[in-house]
Amino acid sequence: WVILSFSTVQARALPPLQSLAGAPVMFETNDKPTLVKFWASWCPRCLSELDATQALAADSQLQQRLNLWTLASPGVLGEMPMAEFQSWFQGLDYPLLPLQLDPKGEWVRHFGVQVYPG
């Protein structure tokens, strides 16, 4: 997990992220701290934490205090290519997981993620 604190304006200055469908993500941080879980489909520990992460995403009290995102980087750091990742993830049962995609690995580089789980 990486805890980030930035305003909506600062977040919009960061490299763009995408939804699973490939649409641009509109940043609305509400000036709350943002907790980001960097993860990869090939990381067993990352996958073992998806249930717990989805439970955090469903916690309305937690959501009042912070923003919770998960971030995967299809095509980067050994992750499967975008189309394959999209198909794979759609086969999982994590409808509440706040997934953002960083297909160019810009956030990974920007925040210095060198290993998973992050």
Side-chain angles (χ1 to χ4, degrees):
W1 291 96
V2 177
I3 298 174
L4 307 171
S5 184
F6 44 73
S7 69
T8 299
V9 171
Q10 290 168 319
R12 288 183 180 151
L14 290 168
L17 297 175
Q18 297 178 7
S19 70
L20 187 63
V25 171
M26 299 304 295
F27 290 104
E28 296 299 332
T29 66
N30 304 314
D31 295 323
K32 297 183 287 188
T34 300
L35 185 63
V36 179
K37 173 66 174 164
F38 290 86
W39 66 280
S41 65
W42 51 260
C43 170
R45 182 170 173 199
C46 298
L47 297 178
S48 73
E49 295 174 350
L50 291 181
D51 286 329
T53 305
Q54 181 168 258
L56 290 174
D59 184 334
S60 61
Q61 290 182 342
L62 181 70
Q63 294 304 314
Q64 291 174 11
R65 297 191 315 267
L66 58 82
N67 300 300
L68 177 68
W69 299 345
T70 71
L71 194 137
S73 298
V76 178
L77 294 176
E79 184 59 85
M80 59 185 84
M82 177 64 90
E84 187 179 342
F85 182 90
Q86 289 167 315
S87 178
W88 171 81
F89 188 82
Q90 289 171 344
L92 303 179
D93 188 23
Y94 294 105
L96 301 178
L97 197 70
L99 177 62
Q100 318 295 331
L101 299 178
D102 176 25
K104 294 181 182 176
E106 294 172 298
W107 280 56
V108 169
R109 284 188 296 280
H110 182 84
F111 292 106
V113 175
Q114 296 179 353
V115 297
Y116 289 105

